[in-house]
């Protein structure tokens, strides 16, 4: 397996300083590449990538779906691994994904837990072990065979939000979706900036609109109107 790790960013200098060394140190150099796809950050994200020898790609638009598709188009790997900058994969991520792929899994993700002691967020994280309607959000990271990704025509760039759930929905329509039984760490910053209830309501509204096939722009507008910080 040759793994292409794709990270869409915008002003993620601090997170990249933590995430990139983790990825570099826990994967064989000859069997992976790391591609950071930037939407014109104004911080030192580019410099961090260059210092660590990571491929830096400048996207033509600030859209996570478009950024990840651009990374996938330039990827050399047989397997793609999409990671948000504020997620922290397991140190065993390369072996975990390799094992899943060799076991016939074409796509999947991890469970997650938050970097918070909040019991409510612990409950949220606990539910990510289930492969139900809410499985496959971007925070869980996503691995997928590149040929399968291309067969599905990648992320739908119409989705300015919920692009991850749209892709997972299409994956599940034609294949199994595997949840690796380990929990990665994700940031609770959205909850810190708002409140648990406010974020839950925003998430539920966005997901309901998604399931009802509302236009992506309307989903995004409704979601951000419910949050204090954007």
């Amino acid at each position: 397996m040759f793994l292409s790790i794709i990270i869409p960013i915008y002003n993620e200098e601090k997170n990249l300083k933590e995430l990139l060394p983790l990825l570099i140190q826990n994967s064989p150099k000859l069997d992976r590449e790391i591609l950071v796809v930037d939407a014109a950050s104004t911080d030192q994200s580019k410099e961090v990538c260059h210092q660590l020898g990571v491929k830096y790609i400048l996207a033509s638009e600030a859209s996570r779906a478009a950024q990840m598709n651009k990374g996938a188009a330039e990827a050399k790997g047989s397997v793609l691994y999409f990671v948000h900058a504020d997620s922290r994969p397991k140190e065993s991520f390369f072996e975990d994904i390799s094992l899943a792929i060799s076991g016939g899994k074409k796509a999947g993700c991890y469970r997650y837990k938050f970097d918070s002691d909040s019991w409510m967020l612990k409950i949220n994280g606990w539910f990510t072990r289930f492969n139900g309607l809410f499985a496959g959000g971007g925070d869980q990271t996503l691995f997928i065979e590149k040929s399968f990704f291309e067969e599905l025509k990648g992320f739908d760039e119409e989705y300015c939000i919920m692009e991850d759930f749209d892709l997972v929905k299409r994956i599940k329509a034609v294949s199994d979706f595997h949840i690796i039984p380990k929990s990665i760490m994700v940031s609770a910053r959205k909850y810190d900036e708002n409140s648990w209830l406010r974020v839950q309501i925003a998430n539920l509204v966005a997901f309901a609109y998604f399931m009802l096939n509302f236009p992506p722009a309307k989903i995004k507008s409704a979601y951000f109107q419910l949050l204090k910080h954007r």
Side-chain angles (χ1 to χ4, degrees):
M1 178 183 77
F2 189 90
L3 185 67
S4 294
I5 306 166
I6 299 167
I7 309 166
I9 67 159
Y10 178 69
N11 286 343
E12 293 287 3
E13 173 188 354
K14 181 179 178 182
N15 275 315
L16 289 176
K17 287 179 178 178
E18 295 181 7
L19 175 62
L20 294 179
L22 184 158
L23 297 171
I24 291 167
Q25 293 164 15
N26 293 287
S27 57
K29 184 176 181 179
L30 296 179
D31 294 323
R32 60 95 177 121
E33 64 177 350
I34 302 173
L35 303 91
V36 173
V37 189
D38 192 6
S41 292
T42 56
D43 64 1
Q44 299 298 304
S45 292
K46 181 178 181 179
E47 287 71 18
V48 172
C49 293
H50 288 167
Q51 289 167 8
L52 294 172
V54 167
K55 185 171 183 179
Y56 174 88
I57 301 168
L58 185 61
S60 59
E61 60 179 302
S63 158
R64 185 173 278 165
Q67 288 170 249
M68 291 189 288
N69 280 343
K70 185 171 182 62
E74 298 197 22
K76 300 174 183 175
S78 57
V79 179
L80 309 176
Y81 185 38
F82 297 99
V83 180
H84 287 185
D86 59 357
S87 296
R88 298 293 179 268
K90 302 291 290 184
E91 292 182 356
S92 60
F93 75 90
F94 189 90
E95 291 78 13
D96 296 337
I97 295 171
S98 180
L99 183 62
I101 293 294
S102 64
K105 309 300 183 184
K106 298 171 99 175
C109 68
Y110 279 92
R111 305 171 181 176
Y112 69 66
K113 58 184 177 181
F114 288 97
D115 58 354
S116 169
D117 292 328
S118 165
W119 66 269
M120 291 181 289
L121 292 183
K122 289 182 187 298
I123 292 173
N124 279 29
W126 184 81
F127 275 102
T128 62
R129 69 191 59 223
F130 299 112
N131 198 356
L133 286 174
F134 298 99
D139 287 339
Q140 292 180 256
T141 68
L142 171 73
F143 73 86
I144 182 169
E145 291 183 343
K146 187 176 183 182
S147 59
F148 187 34
F149 181 81
E150 292 173 342
E151 179 185 326
L152 295 170
K153 303 192 184 303
F155 290 97
D156 185 342
E157 295 182 17
E158 289 288 319
Y159 280 91
C160 45
I161 191 173
M162 305 294 284
E163 73 288 333
D164 38 20
F165 287 106
D166 171 69
L167 178 58
V168 171
K169 181 179 178 181
R170 288 184 281 127
I171 290 170
K172 289 182 174 181
V174 295
S175 177
D176 291 334
F177 186 72
H178 178 61
I179 298 182
I180 297 171
K182 295 182 180 180
S183 295
I184 64 171
M185 188 72 71
V186 301
S187 172
R189 61 181 174 177
K190 188 188 303 180
Y191 293 87
D192 293 338
E193 292 170 351
N194 294 269
S195 68
W196 179 86
L197 182 59
R198 184 182 290 271
V199 177
Q200 291 299 102
I201 292 172
N203 287 344
L204 287 171
V205 167
F207 200 82
Y209 280 16
F210 170 73
M211 294 302 293
L212 292 169
N213 295 315
F214 277 45
K218 185 173 181 64
I219 300 173
K220 182 177 181 179
S221 175
Y223 179 76
F224 283 121
Q225 283 178 11
L226 289 164
L227 297 179
K228 293 178 183 176
H229 298 272
R230 307 177 189 182

